[in-house]
Amino acid sequence: MSKPLDFAALDAVVRQYERGGDTAEIHGSVCGALCVQRPEDIDLLRLLDAGVPAKSRAPDGLKQLRDEALVSLQDQDMGFAPLLPDDSHPLEARVDAMAAWCAGFLFGLSLRPGFDPRQMGEDAQEILTDFTELTRASFDPEEDGELEETAYAELVEYVRVGVQLIYMELRPDPMPDPQQSRSVH
């Protein structure tokens, strides 16, 4: 088994397709798509929007990302976490990444034809509304840094738990083990 992807490893994969800066958004897109599609049906290259030729194979790093995201979403101990830059990055970059992650997640959900969030429960609809608001999150350097760090940590936790609740609502039955899934993308 290969080493689990962290933000830097995924960033390296994404940069192969000249999509630097969108790493968090890609993870969000994959997670959103996993909520509404079978893993093998997700067109990973479409999520990159990399302009690669049709019938191209997704790199192993993206397949690994999909498989790891699925395992974490299905974790009974709620071990899922959005893949975001770590605390060594400036808060502004982390806030921007969280906003991009939420935008990617919403895009991933929209990949299922006919997906209508109004058919979801009230809590899930509220989470999606909040995620829409989080796509506009920004950093104010004039604010108290410690308070901003705390607020950021709370928002990341909200996103983490919110995604798991949405996944459980849309996928009440566990998906097949990704190691047994046939990868076609």
Side-chain angles (χ1 to χ4, degrees), residues 103-134:
F105 182 79
L106 295 170
F107 172 73
L109 288 176
S110 75
L111 292 176
R112 185 177 84 194
F115 176 73
D116 184 357
R118 294 173 297 189
Q119 294 177 352
M120 298 174 67
E122 190 175 312
D123 290 341
Q125 288 182 41
E126 183 177 336
I127 291 166
L128 293 179
T129 299
D130 292 343
F131 282 14
T132 302
E133 288 297 316
L134 286 174

Side-chain angles (χ1 to χ4, degrees), residues 30 32-44 66-67 70 74 111-112 167 170-171 173-176 178 181-185:
V30 168
L34 284 168
C35 289
V36 294
Q37 293 181 322
R38 295 184 337 213
E40 63 273 11
D41 292 341
I42 297 171
D43 184 345
L44 294 168
R66 177 198 59 207
D67 294 346
L70 179 61
Q74 293 179 344
L111 292 176
R112 185 177 84 194
Y167 181 81
L170 295 173
R171 292 271 184 217
D173 298 320
M175 297 292 293
S181 296
R182 204 179 91 237
S183 297
V184 276
H185 300 283

